[in-house]
Amino acid sequence: MDRHIHEECGVFGIYSPRTDDLASLVYYGLHALQHRGQESAGIVLNDDGVFRACRDVGLVSEVFTRDKLHALGRGNIAVGHVRYATTGADNLRNIQPLLINHHKGSMALAHNGNLTNAYELRSTLEQQGSIFHTTTDSEVIAYELVRERLRCGSIEEAVAAVMDVLHGAYSLVISSPAKLIAARDPFGFRPLCLGRRADGAVVAASESCALDAIGAEFWRDVEPGEVVTVDEQGVHSDRRHCGAVPRHMCVFEYIYFARPDSVLDGASVCLARQRAGEFLAREYPVEADAVVGVPDSGLDAAVGYARASGIPYAIGFTKSKYIGRTFIAPTQSEREEGVSLKLNPIRSVVSGKRIVLIDDSIVRGTTCRRTVDQLRRAGAREIHMRVSAPPFVAPCYYGTDIDSADSLIANRHSVDEIAQIIGVDSLGYLKLEHARLLTGEDRGFCTACFGGGYPTETPPSGNKSRFERRIHETG
């Protein structure tokens, strides 16, 4: 684990009132969501109940060639997914959308989040004869849905029924033969929104930036606990689970995960990050010559810090456009080398200057130290680091890859010790009470990874490879 937290996934779905080239629209939507998952991508296209899939490891632009998109053909419903593995290793069998066949038709499912009771549900299903083909918690959702679908009669009723047994985080986009379903867990851990195109198509996506990418107008967010069904009769909403529990959107969506041009639950991500910078400027003032943000999610917070402090904002790094996020590299040494390739300080900006360095988080500290070393070599005289998140002190069980507290630097060292380890002159973290106010008011965020307490019961193991281990152990 390095400076940044691994992300969860991005989901996308579209329903068109007529048969159309939906694969291209999903491609552009997934491209806009690429920041949410860079390990694999997939599209399932539904042409009047006939499902065709294209899924592979790699970036969206690598998986979907022109010929592969053309081979998907035309249809009136399509579902897409970009993935970072939070439960289940990264391999071909775990790539989404999952495509399930049962005697009432096919179903494609894309899932963002992480179940806290997946192990228990899977064990029960296996004892009842279910055979699992993946090691993801998403397949648990699919099997529960099929079981309820056979009992309830409709896919939307099945989704509503399954909400009573699924615990944890899930934003879902599902295609049945004739319907598109968008659903969000009652806590609203992960975002999900709806949009409309001028041609009558209805779109569901993890973030509003994906709507912009295909010319769709933002309509509204899917409410926590809501099930939205789109079919030839129009759009229908089932809110029976809404308001059952308090909202707990993951606050790190605003700090790091989401794109700055997105609006989540009515709040601008860009403005939330700027507000974090303003809090930091008031909490930890310092005399300096320039405020520099670490691209990309540190930039808006740096703007907020500069505005509140009166210290000039400066672009202190140049960023390569051809290297993905460094946490995707499989080893720590490769991630560290990736920092040097991805980011390079602009010597004329930082040389001889007292720099306020803004970043979104410190996880283990190793990669952060490398970034600081780069600034020192470029001639920075002083480096005062400000972090637009509180210290990570606890595992996350809701779709973020912090499955153990053991490697978190804030659990082993004080703030002063961390400052010495990473080589900065001073260090300040965003206060937990201010993290809850990033959107202007306390909306009931989940801050569990910052020590804010878990809103649900936690599983005995949050390790993302727990199902692989179980298969190995049982032979």
Side-chain angles (χ1 to χ4, degrees), residues 422-453:
I422 65 177
V424 295
D425 295 279
S426 70
L427 174 63
Y429 287 92
L430 187 71
K431 293 180 179 178
L432 182 58
E433 60 265 31
H434 288 154
R436 296 188 175 112
L437 298 175
L438 289 185
T439 59
E441 60 181 346
D442 189 346
R443 298 187 176 199
F445 290 117
C446 178
T447 57
C449 58
F450 304 133

Side-chain angles (χ1 to χ4, degrees), residues 26-288:
V26 179
Y27 171 87
Y28 289 118
L30 293 182
H31 202 281
L33 296 174
Q34 183 75 89
H35 58 287
R36 299 186 69 87
Q38 300 181 353
E39 289 187 350
S40 63
I43 296 174
V44 174
L45 189 134
N46 175 3
D47 179 16
D48 196 24
V50 177
F51 287 67
R52 291 183 291 272
C54 177
R55 298 169 293 194
D56 208 343
V57 295
L59 301 175
V60 171
S61 59
E62 298 167 338
V63 172
F64 305 112
T65 64
R66 185 182 300 273
D67 288 343
K68 289 181 178 179
L69 288 174
H70 180 73
L72 284 171
R74 300 167 69 84
N76 69 314
I77 306 176
V79 174
H81 191 268
V82 289
R83 182 172 190 260
Y84 173 76
T86 53
T87 297
D90 171 35
N91 54 45
L92 286 170
R93 65 183 175 181
N94 288 336
I95 298 173
Q96 297 188 39
L98 298 180
L99 185 54
I100 306 295
N101 297 304
H102 55 92
H103 81 267
K104 286 196 174 183
S106 299
M107 177 182 72
L109 178 144
H111 169 215
N112 173 205
N114 211 50
L115 300 184
T116 58
N117 65 335
Y119 190 92
E120 293 78 10
L121 291 176
R122 178 167 174 151
S123 296
T124 300
L125 288 166
E126 287 176 335
Q127 291 169 11
Q128 295 171 350
S130 297
I131 299 174
F132 283 79
H133 300 279
T134 78
T135 55
T136 70
D137 58 342
S138 304
E139 191 176 12
V140 173
I141 299 174
Y143 278 31
E144 291 287 354
L145 278 173
V146 170
R147 187 165 67 170
E148 289 297 333
R149 172 75 172 84
L150 300 178
R151 186 180 67 84
C152 296
S154 71
I155 183 63
E156 59 267 39
E157 281 294 326
V159 174
V162 162
M163 281 186 168
D164 292 326
V165 299
L166 300 181
H167 300 163
Y170 52 92
S171 285
L172 305 174
V173 176
I174 302 163
S175 174
S176 73
K179 299 172 182 177
L180 178 72
I181 308 289
R184 193 175 175 194
D185 71 77
F187 289 96
F189 284 111
R190 299 296 162 200
L192 192 62
C193 66
L194 301 173
R196 285 171 163 163
R197 280 171 47 93
D199 59 8
V202 177
V203 186
S206 290
E207 296 181 35
S208 61
C209 64
L211 306 180
D212 299 333
I214 65 163
E217 290 291 328
F218 174 82
W219 176 16
R220 66 177 179 86
D221 293 288
V222 176
E223 292 295 315
E226 184 181 13
V227 179
V228 177
T229 304
V230 189
D231 57 21
E232 62 182 3
Q233 277 78 45
V235 181
H236 322 279
S237 173
D238 183 336
R239 297 174 178 263
R240 74 183 74 172
H241 291 89
C242 294
V245 292
R247 286 174 176 255
H248 277 87
M249 162 79 88
C250 171
V251 73
F252 209 57
E253 289 282 355
Y254 291 96
I255 294 169
Y256 173 65
F257 285 150
R259 257 178 42 168
D261 53 331
S262 287
V263 176
L264 309 181
D265 283 352
S268 163
V269 173
C270 174
L271 294 180
R273 291 175 184 169
Q274 290 182 11
R275 189 172 284 111
E278 293 170 358
F279 282 133
L280 288 170
R282 292 193 287 268
E283 293 165 6
Y284 308 104
V286 67
E287 292 187 4

